[in-house]
mmCIF file of all heavy atoms in Angstrom:
data_model
loop_
_atom_site.group_PDB
_atom_site.id
_atom_site.type_symbol
_atom_site.label_atom_id
_atom_site.label_comp_id
_atom_site.label_asym_id
_atom_site.label_seq_id
_atom_site.Cartn_x
_atom_site.Cartn_y
_atom_site.Cartn_z
ATOM 1 N N ALA A 72 -0.602 -11.767 -2.379
ATOM 2 C CA ALA A 72 -0.055 -10.429 -2.653
ATOM 3 C C ALA A 72 0.928 -10.045 -1.559
ATOM 4 O O ALA A 72 0.878 -10.569 -0.442
ATOM 5 C CB ALA A 72 -1.196 -9.418 -2.683
ATOM 6 N N LEU A 73 1.799 -9.122 -1.871
ATOM 7 C CA LEU A 73 2.693 -8.576 -0.844
ATOM 8 C C LEU A 73 1.879 -7.605 0.012
ATOM 9 O O LEU A 73 0.978 -6.932 -0.508
ATOM 10 C CB LEU A 73 3.859 -7.849 -1.522
ATOM 11 C CG LEU A 73 4.703 -8.753 -2.437
ATOM 12 C CD1 LEU A 73 5.731 -7.930 -3.205
ATOM 13 C CD2 LEU A 73 5.385 -9.831 -1.626
ATOM 14 N N PRO A 74 2.187 -7.515 1.310
ATOM 15 C CA PRO A 74 1.343 -6.689 2.195
ATOM 16 C C PRO A 74 1.632 -5.199 2.045
ATOM 17 O O PRO A 74 2.006 -4.525 3.001
ATOM 18 C CB PRO A 74 1.738 -7.209 3.585
ATOM 19 C CG PRO A 74 3.150 -7.661 3.425
ATOM 20 C CD PRO A 74 3.301 -8.180 2.026
ATOM 21 N N VAL A 75 1.463 -4.703 0.831
ATOM 22 C CA VAL A 75 1.820 -3.308 0.550
ATOM 23 C C VAL A 75 0.603 -2.552 0.019
ATOM 24 O O VAL A 75 -0.031 -2.976 -0.949
ATOM 25 C CB VAL A 75 2.952 -3.219 -0.498
ATOM 26 C CG1 VAL A 75 3.275 -1.756 -0.811
ATOM 27 C CG2 VAL A 75 4.196 -3.952 -0.020
ATOM 28 N N THR A 76 0.301 -1.434 0.677
ATOM 29 C CA THR A 76 -0.736 -0.511 0.205
ATOM 30 C C THR A 76 -0.057 0.766 -0.262
ATOM 31 O O THR A 76 0.803 1.302 0.445
ATOM 32 C CB THR A 76 -1.711 -0.196 1.353
ATOM 33 O OG1 THR A 76 -2.435 -1.391 1.654
ATOM 34 C CG2 THR A 76 -2.696 0.907 0.977
ATOM 35 N N LEU A 77 -0.435 1.222 -1.450
ATOM 36 C CA LEU A 77 0.121 2.482 -1.955
ATOM 37 C C LEU A 77 -0.938 3.565 -1.867
ATOM 38 O O LEU A 77 -2.053 3.384 -2.386
ATOM 39 C CB LEU A 77 0.553 2.328 -3.410
ATOM 40 C CG LEU A 77 1.717 1.381 -3.682
ATOM 41 C CD1 LEU A 77 1.956 1.266 -5.171
ATOM 42 C CD2 LEU A 77 2.987 1.845 -2.995
ATOM 43 N N LEU A 78 -0.605 4.673 -1.225
ATOM 44 C CA LEU A 78 -1.461 5.858 -1.284
ATOM 45 C C LEU A 78 -0.975 6.624 -2.503
ATOM 46 O O LEU A 78 0.126 7.199 -2.479
ATOM 47 C CB LEU A 78 -1.295 6.711 -0.024
ATOM 48 C CG LEU A 78 -2.120 6.335 1.207
ATOM 49 C CD1 LEU A 78 -1.879 4.900 1.638
ATOM 50 C CD2 LEU A 78 -1.816 7.284 2.359
ATOM 51 N N LEU A 79 -1.731 6.544 -3.578
ATOM 52 C CA LEU A 79 -1.286 7.119 -4.844
ATOM 53 C C LEU A 79 -2.060 8.410 -5.073
ATOM 54 O O LEU A 79 -3.278 8.387 -5.311
ATOM 55 C CB LEU A 79 -1.569 6.093 -5.954
ATOM 56 C CG LEU A 79 -0.964 6.332 -7.318
ATOM 57 C CD1 LEU A 79 0.560 6.433 -7.247
ATOM 58 C CD2 LEU A 79 -1.366 5.210 -8.282
ATOM 59 N N SER A 80 -1.348 9.547 -4.984
ATOM 60 C CA SER A 80 -2.022 10.833 -5.206
ATOM 61 C C SER A 80 -2.604 10.844 -6.610
ATOM 62 O O SER A 80 -2.035 10.256 -7.533
ATOM 63 C CB SER A 80 -1.027 11.974 -5.076
ATOM 64 O OG SER A 80 -0.573 12.020 -3.762
ATOM 65 N N ILE A 81 -3.716 11.529 -6.762
ATOM 66 C CA ILE A 81 -4.355 11.578 -8.076
ATOM 67 C C ILE A 81 -3.551 12.506 -8.990
ATOM 68 O O ILE A 81 -3.270 13.639 -8.626
ATOM 69 C CB ILE A 81 -5.820 12.012 -7.922
ATOM 70 C CG1 ILE A 81 -6.571 10.837 -7.280
ATOM 71 C CG2 ILE A 81 -6.443 12.431 -9.246
ATOM 72 C CD1 ILE A 81 -7.910 11.165 -6.723
ATOM 73 N N PHE A 82 -3.146 11.957 -10.118
ATOM 74 C CA PHE A 82 -2.456 12.762 -11.133
ATOM 75 C C PHE A 82 -2.987 12.315 -12.486
ATOM 76 O O PHE A 82 -3.996 11.602 -12.543
ATOM 77 C CB PHE A 82 -0.919 12.664 -11.008
ATOM 78 C CG PHE A 82 -0.364 11.262 -10.974
ATOM 79 C CD1 PHE A 82 0.015 10.624 -12.152
ATOM 80 C CD2 PHE A 82 -0.202 10.576 -9.776
ATOM 81 C CE1 PHE A 82 0.545 9.340 -12.137
ATOM 82 C CE2 PHE A 82 0.328 9.289 -9.749
ATOM 83 C CZ PHE A 82 0.695 8.677 -10.933
ATOM 84 N N ARG A 83 -2.327 12.731 -13.577
ATOM 85 C CA ARG A 83 -2.871 12.462 -14.920
ATOM 86 C C ARG A 83 -3.321 11.021 -15.054
ATOM 87 O O ARG A 83 -2.557 10.081 -14.805
ATOM 88 C CB ARG A 83 -1.815 12.758 -15.972
ATOM 89 C CG ARG A 83 -1.937 14.163 -16.517
ATOM 90 C CD ARG A 83 -0.957 14.414 -17.606
ATOM 91 N NE ARG A 83 -0.957 13.374 -18.633
ATOM 92 C CZ ARG A 83 -0.133 13.392 -19.677
ATOM 93 N NH1 ARG A 83 0.721 14.363 -19.813
ATOM 94 N NH2 ARG A 83 -0.174 12.435 -20.574
ATOM 95 N N PHE A 84 -4.586 10.809 -15.468
ATOM 96 C CA PHE A 84 -5.174 9.478 -15.420
ATOM 97 C C PHE A 84 -4.431 8.445 -16.271
ATOM 98 O O PHE A 84 -4.314 7.292 -15.882
ATOM 99 C CB PHE A 84 -6.647 9.530 -15.848
ATOM 100 C CG PHE A 84 -7.568 10.115 -14.802
ATOM 101 C CD1 PHE A 84 -8.799 10.630 -15.167
ATOM 102 C CD2 PHE A 84 -7.220 10.146 -13.458
ATOM 103 C CE1 PHE A 84 -9.657 11.166 -14.212
ATOM 104 C CE2 PHE A 84 -8.066 10.687 -12.499
ATOM 105 C CZ PHE A 84 -9.288 11.197 -12.888
ATOM 106 N N ASP A 85 -3.921 8.875 -17.455
ATOM 107 C CA ASP A 85 -3.247 7.866 -18.287
ATOM 108 C C ASP A 85 -2.013 7.332 -17.568
ATOM 109 O O ASP A 85 -1.758 6.120 -17.529
ATOM 110 C CB ASP A 85 -2.899 8.432 -19.683
ATOM 111 C CG ASP A 85 -2.106 9.733 -19.624
ATOM 112 O OD1 ASP A 85 -2.054 10.377 -18.559
ATOM 113 O OD2 ASP A 85 -1.523 10.104 -20.668
ATOM 114 N N ARG A 86 -1.281 8.231 -16.907
ATOM 115 C CA ARG A 86 -0.065 7.799 -16.206
ATOM 116 C C ARG A 86 -0.405 7.042 -14.931
ATOM 117 O O ARG A 86 0.282 6.094 -14.544
ATOM 118 C CB ARG A 86 0.795 8.998 -15.884
ATOM 119 C CG ARG A 86 1.300 9.634 -17.149
ATOM 120 C CD ARG A 86 2.286 10.689 -16.859
ATOM 121 N NE ARG A 86 2.898 11.097 -18.103
ATOM 122 C CZ ARG A 86 3.446 12.274 -18.309
ATOM 123 N NH1 ARG A 86 3.448 13.154 -17.333
ATOM 124 N NH2 ARG A 86 3.991 12.556 -19.453
ATOM 125 N N MET A 87 -1.467 7.479 -14.297
ATOM 126 C CA MET A 87 -1.882 6.816 -13.064
ATOM 127 C C MET A 87 -2.290 5.366 -13.345
ATOM 128 O O MET A 87 -1.933 4.436 -12.622
ATOM 129 C CB MET A 87 -3.082 7.589 -12.515
ATOM 130 C CG MET A 87 -3.087 7.686 -11.032
ATOM 131 S SD MET A 87 -4.479 8.657 -10.492
ATOM 132 C CE MET A 87 -4.823 7.753 -9.003
ATOM 133 N N GLU A 88 -3.028 5.208 -14.446
ATOM 134 C CA GLU A 88 -3.480 3.864 -14.822
ATOM 135 C C GLU A 88 -2.298 2.951 -15.124
ATOM 136 O O GLU A 88 -2.293 1.777 -14.772
ATOM 137 C CB GLU A 88 -4.326 3.986 -16.094
ATOM 138 C CG GLU A 88 -5.682 3.396 -15.922
ATOM 139 C CD GLU A 88 -6.602 3.787 -17.058
ATOM 140 O OE1 GLU A 88 -6.341 3.410 -18.215
ATOM 141 O OE2 GLU A 88 -7.593 4.488 -16.772
#
Side-chain angles (χ1 to χ4, degrees):
L73 300 173
V75 178
T76 292
L77 294 176
L78 276 57
L79 192 58
S80 295
I81 288 165
F82 52 91
R83 266 184 50 182
F84 285 159
D85 53 345
R86 294 188 170 155
M87 217 178 145
E88 236 167 64

